[in-house]
Amino acid sequence: MILKGNIVDIPNQRVFKGEITIKDGKIFSVEEKQHNVNHYILPGFVDAHIHIESSMLVPSEFARIAVKHGTIATVSDPHEIANVLGVEGVEFMINNGKETPFKFNFGAPSCVPATSFESAGAVIDSEGIKTLMANPDIKYLAEMMNYPGVLFNDDEVLKKLAWAKHYNKPIDGHAPGLRGDDLTKYIQAGISTDHECFTFEEGLEKLQKGMKVLIREGSAAKNFEALIDLLPEHYENMMFCSDDKHPDDLLLHHINNLCARAVAKGMDVFKVLQVACVNPVKHYNLDVGLLNVGDFADCIVVEDLKDFKTLQTYINGELVFDEDISKIDSVPFEILNNFNTNKKEVSDFRYESSATLRLRSGQAKIRVIEALEGQLVTNEIIVESLLQDGNLVSNVEKDILKMTVVNRYQNQKPAIAFIKNFGLKKGAIASSVGHDSHNIIAVGVSDEAICKAVNLIIENKGGVCAVSDTIEKVVALPVAGIMSDQDAKTIGVQYAELDKMAKQLGSSLHAPYMTLSFMALLVIPSLKLSDKGLFDGNGFKYTNLEV
């Protein structure tokens, strides 16, 4: 097979008319030749850090959509399903991904459970990491979120790091806001990347100290604008990633969109493509071709080097996307899950205020999670919340809404907190996608609405939903309670409708469900909620709701 076009030579920063000959799935020759073909041929895009589960799609369905955007490989942390199903979940992701030509590169989840302050469905200890790291299908040790464990020399954490080093596999980091001497110690432990930078200064310090910095632009966390100006000088040590990308977003674009945005800012296209195509392959030692003779024929044909509209995608010389049609087929798979809690009563979401803290005005001072648009970090604010018959309730007028996290692995009393910036004026939204342990998380204007939403998730053994007085809408996620058994278009349309309903209920957030899913993510400061209680992410300890 011969491909003709303008060949993009990223290492030598040039474009030339030529032909690429492909034999047996590999590049046999690359020759300069004149012709009248005007499109461009370049290596495929690689998402350098993504949780496939957050697309709500199993790997084989994710692949069918990703190739439409020129993505041919991912560096994937199966951390989400591992927290539900353990090693069995990791094996499901690997085996399902192998059913397609797409190049999934899975890591060994380093923090299952993410912390001891929440209830997860499984545990992967250092012996489990040892077993996983010996597997050639495992390419790296996935994000070490337990950075306090690194800093304080936790024995289990150090053993996990040691097994990655023993097998000479990279170690991914996760250290939002970590700076100074603590950052230095974290890097010296062997941790090579970070995708959690949310300021230019933080990214610069991590680059200067030898880390690879990933520019993340997901459905909730959006750090592109904060970090992109680092690229011109540090392009050799940066990558693009999504981290978490919901299905409606994935249907629209992927890494190609970040390339287009960077080029639109006037950045050198070769530097941008080095970040998008080359650096992940080099850093993680991926079996992904880069248009060199002898490489796997992993390449894409794009209309131009401005918008990067994909015309064709090839993986191992196989045409997997052409003329707006994905040529990757759906495959059958077994549905696995871990969901063992009973339906709840409205009284379960009542929170009795301490009598000594009640004020004559019928209010109580409480700690409130302040959600921030486009960020995973939150603020802690102190506000006065409403009391009704001793029960702390939502203050819709001031956008201080009751929130709950419900253990989905066993019957336990729901944990209660309050949150600002969700903006709901009626009803409630809920999800069993709740990083990292994937318990049920919900926000609503009343205990009744919250209970209705939580029970809808329990009835479906997982999903995302929205409820009002008259409408109940749910997208079922039967695979581990976090992924659909449907194709991307079906789930993408359903999810978009649900997102629309959440906004009709009053939410002003760009991605209310993605934001909701991170409000139980304890390893990112400042204030979060686990199924066991309100959590201070800075002090890494529980804290009281009432002040």
Side-chain angles (χ1 to χ4, degrees):
M1 180 170 59
I2 294 177
L3 294 181
K4 294 181 180 181
N6 297 301
I7 298 171
V8 182
D9 182 355
I10 299 172
N12 294 306
Q13 300 196 349
R14 70 188 191 112
V15 177
F16 60 89
K17 292 275 187 184
E19 293 182 351
I20 297 175
T21 303
I22 299 171
K23 288 186 179 181
D24 299 323
K26 293 190 174 183
I27 293 178
F28 179 76
S29 66
V30 179
E31 299 179 84
E32 292 196 40
K33 282 191 177 181
Q34 289 302 311
H35 50 66
N36 296 321
V37 179
N38 292 319
H39 50 234
Y40 294 79
I41 304 171
L42 60 148
F45 301 123
V46 181
D47 191 326
H49 175 79
I50 187 170
H51 305 279
I52 300 296
E53 303 97 312
S54 291
S55 70
M56 300 182 185
L57 303 169
V58 296
S60 55
E61 290 297 329
F62 176 95
R64 296 181 69 210
I65 301 304
V67 294
K68 292 186 174 187
H69 306 308
T71 305
I72 49 91
T74 58
V75 179
S76 308
D77 178 4
H79 169 93
E80 314 301 346
I81 196 170
N83 268 281
V84 178
L85 292 164
V87 172
E88 181 185 16
V90 176
E91 291 172 344
F92 169 84
M93 299 296 280
I94 292 172
N95 293 332
N96 182 259
K98 283 182 176 180
E99 295 293 319
T100 78
F102 192 88
K103 297 193 172 183
F104 291 102
N105 297 279
F106 288 105
S110 67
C111 300
V112 178
T115 73
S116 60
F117 298 94
E118 58 196 309
S119 301
V123 174
I124 299 180
D125 59 13
S126 58
E127 282 301 305
I129 293 296
K130 175 185 177 182
T131 301
L132 285 170
M133 296 309 291
N135 183 345
D137 289 325
I138 295 293
K139 303 294 185 180
Y140 65 105
L141 182 65
E143 54 182 311
M144 179 47 72
M145 297 183 293
N146 187 3
Y147 58 85
V150 177
L151 300 179
F152 294 105
N153 300 315
D154 178 88
D155 186 57
E156 267 291 285
V157 169
L158 295 183
K159 285 179 181 177
K160 291 175 180 179
L161 298 176
W163 282 120
K165 295 171 188 174
H166 175 79
Y167 285 99
N168 196 30
K169 295 181 180 181
I171 303 170
D172 267 8
H174 168 116
L178 198 64
R179 307 285 297 274
D181 291 342
D182 284 347
L183 173 61
T184 300
K185 182 172 182 178
Y186 186 72
I187 295 170
Q188 288 174 344
I191 296 163
S192 59
T193 70
D194 191 77
H195 61 274
E196 293 288 349
C197 302
F198 52 89
T199 67
F200 179 94
E201 293 75 18
E202 178 189 354
L204 180 60
E205 181 181 356
K206 287 174 176 174
L207 284 162
Q208 290 172 336
K209 290 184 173 179
M211 273 191 139
K212 303 284 198 306
V213 167
L214 280 61
I215 298 177
R216 171 179 60 187
E217 192 79 354
S219 292
K222 298 179 181 296
N223 309 124
F224 179 90
E225 294 297 337
L227 302 176
I228 192 61
D229 287 339
L230 291 165
L231 188 147
E233 185 176 347
H234 299 280
Y235 69 95
E236 291 179 319
N237 293 301
M238 300 187 78
M239 300 176 241
F240 287 135
C241 78
S242 301
D243 197 3
D244 296 282
K245 199 163 184 70
H246 267 182
D248 54 338
D249 278 350
L250 183 63
L251 285 170
L252 297 175
H253 47 64
H254 197 195
I255 300 301
N256 57 330
N257 179 249
L258 302 188
C259 294
R261 288 171 62 183
V263 170
K265 287 179 173 289
M267 295 188 179
D268 183 286
V269 68
F270 296 106
K271 292 181 178 181
V272 171
L273 293 177
Q274 171 99 13
V275 171
C277 309
V278 177
N279 291 347
V281 175
K282 299 288 189 182
H283 180 73
Y284 293 99
N285 192 30
L286 307 181
D287 293 325
V288 174
L290 293 173
L291 287 191
N292 300 312
V293 173
D295 281 0
F296 289 108
D298 303 323
C299 58
I300 59 176
V301 179
V302 300
E303 198 168 82
D304 56 44
L305 299 182
K306 179 182 176 184
D307 296 322
F308 299 95
K309 180 184 177 182
T310 305
L311 304 176
Q312 292 181 322
T313 301
Y314 294 86
I315 300 177
N316 289 351
E318 178 183 347
L319 182 62
V320 294
F321 173 71
D322 184 33
E323 296 180 349
D324 290 328
I325 297 173
S326 176
K327 295 184 175 295
I328 296 177
D329 295 326
S330 294
V331 297
F333 56 88
E334 179 185 0
I335 292 178
L336 307 175
N337 208 342
N338 185 2
F339 223 101
N340 299 301
T341 190
N342 296 334
K343 291 175 71 172
K344 305 303 174 188
E345 304 290 336
V346 174
S347 59
D348 291 328
F349 301 98
R350 182 180 178 87
Y351 190 98
E352 289 285 343
S353 175
S354 301
T356 56
L357 294 175
R358 294 179 191 172
L359 305 177
R360 290 182 182 178
S361 61
Q363 296 174 321
K365 285 186 179 288
I366 57 172
R367 290 179 174 86
V368 170
I369 300 167
E370 184 182 29
L372 303 174
E373 182 70 81
Q375 300 290 345
L376 306 189
V377 293
T378 61
N379 291 330
E380 175 185 323
I381 58 176
I382 307 297
V383 304
E384 292 181 344
S385 189
L386 290 180
L387 275 168
Q388 290 180 356
D389 299 324
N391 178 30
L392 284 171
V393 296
S394 293
N395 186 335
V396 178
E397 185 178 328
K398 294 186 177 180
D399 190 23
I400 306 297
L401 302 180
K402 184 174 278 189
M403 168 184 170
T404 186
V405 175
V406 180
N407 187 325
R408 62 122 127 177
Y409 303 106
Q410 54 185 310
N411 286 310
Q412 296 290 342
K413 182 175 174 58
I416 302 297
F418 286 80
I419 193 162
K420 184 174 178 62
N421 288 337
F422 266 80
L424 297 177
K425 302 300 181 187
K426 52 189 176 181
I429 62 174
S431 173
S432 58
V433 179
H435 305 288
D436 279 311
S437 294
H438 300 291
N439 290 300
I440 303 165
I441 185 167
V443 172
V445 303
S446 68
D447 294 359
E448 290 78 10
I450 290 170
C451 184
K452 185 191 290 188
V454 167
N455 284 340
L456 193 54
I457 299 299
I458 293 171
E459 288 169 12
N460 284 275
K461 299 290 185 184
V464 286
C465 76
V467 302
S468 67
D469 291 340
T470 58
I471 300 173
E472 295 182 3
K473 189 169 289 188
V474 63
V475 177
L477 300 175
V479 183
I482 56 176
M483 289 179 287
S484 174
D485 57 348
Q486 303 295 309
D487 63 82
K489 187 172 182 180
T490 300
I491 193 71
V493 169
Q494 290 178 355
Y495 178 77
E497 291 175 353
L498 194 66
D499 183 76
K500 181 179 178 181
M501 180 174 173
K503 290 168 181 174
Q504 289 172 339
L505 294 175
S507 180
S508 58
L509 291 168
H510 170 73
Y513 289 98
M514 186 66 87
T515 301
L516 179 66
S517 72
F518 287 108
M519 294 303 102
L521 183 53
L522 309 188
V523 294
I524 294 186
S526 291
L527 194 63
K528 297 290 172 70
L529 179 66
S530 88
D531 68 294
K532 295 181 179 180
L534 196 59
F535 190 76
D536 174 1
N538 293 317
F540 228 69
K541 60 184 180 181
Y542 296 119
T543 189
N544 294 321
L545 173 59
E546 295 184 283
V547 180

